[in-house]
């Protein structure tokens, strides 16, 4: 109760295999969720098709690994691309602020410079 009143709740972290903090690492939570769904779909689908329990469990484990890694790589690629785009925009805004209203402003036409 004292934590709720102060508004400073301590966040519980969930570490996967005591290494990967799922709440703090970008894309980790979504990748684990996609991996578990992929595992379930592949395992149950193979079991319904063949009724072989051990083989279905093996395929479910492999499906978990492949689904998790696939969604992890896709998400991290998009995350990196977004970070690069954000950095380009931030640099452009900094340059715009620095050069705005000066003679070095690239948006000012040459004709307006010569008429001044």
């Amino acid at each position: 109760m004292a934590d709720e009143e102060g508004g400073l709740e301590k966040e519980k972290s969930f570490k996967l295999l005591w290494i990967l903090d799922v709440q703090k690492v970008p894309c980790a939570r979504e990748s684990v969720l996609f991996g578990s769904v992929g595992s379930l779909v592949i395992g149950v689908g193979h079991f319904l098709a063949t009724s072989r329990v051990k083989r279905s469990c093996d395929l479910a484990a492999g499906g978990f690994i492949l689904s998790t890694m696939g969604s992890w790589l896709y998400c991290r690629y998009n995350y990196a691309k977004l970070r690069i785009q954000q950095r380009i925009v931030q640099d452009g805004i900094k340059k715009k602020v620095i050069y705005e209203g000066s003679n070095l402003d690239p948006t000012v036409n040459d004709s307006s410079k010569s008429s001044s």
Side-chain angles (χ1 to χ4, degrees):
M1 283 297 190
D3 289 332
E4 292 175 7
E5 291 173 3
L8 299 173
E9 285 188 36
K10 183 180 177 185
E11 293 183 21
K12 293 182 180 180
S13 65
F14 175 72
K15 291 192 177 187
L16 187 65
L17 297 177
W18 302 279
I19 299 170
L20 179 66
D21 192 1
V22 176
Q23 290 182 346
K24 293 182 182 176
V25 176
C27 301
R29 180 178 179 267
E30 292 83 9
S31 297
V32 171
L33 289 174
F34 282 130
S36 62
V37 170
S39 169
L40 185 68
V41 168
I42 290 172
V44 170
H46 187 268
F47 177 74
L48 292 175
T50 62
S51 296
R52 294 175 62 187
V53 176
K54 185 181 182 312
R55 179 77 174 175
S56 298
C57 290
D58 292 342
L59 286 176
F64 175 76
I65 292 169
L66 289 177
S67 301
T68 303
M69 291 305 296
S71 63
W72 172 269
L73 292 174
Y74 179 75
C75 184
R76 291 299 288 187
Y77 172 75
N78 287 334
Y79 183 74
K81 192 166 63 168
L82 180 68
R83 294 285 302 229
I84 290 169
Q85 289 173 350
Q86 286 175 341
R87 193 175 309 128
I88 290 170
V89 169
Q90 285 176 346
D91 290 343
I93 290 172
K94 284 180 186 176
K95 288 179 183 178
K96 178 69 175 172
V97 169
I98 291 171
Y99 293 133
E100 189 173 25
S102 69
N103 294 341
L104 301 174
D105 191 0
T107 60
V108 177
N109 295 335
D110 290 331
S111 61
S112 65
K113 284 183 184 178
S114 62
S115 65
S116 299

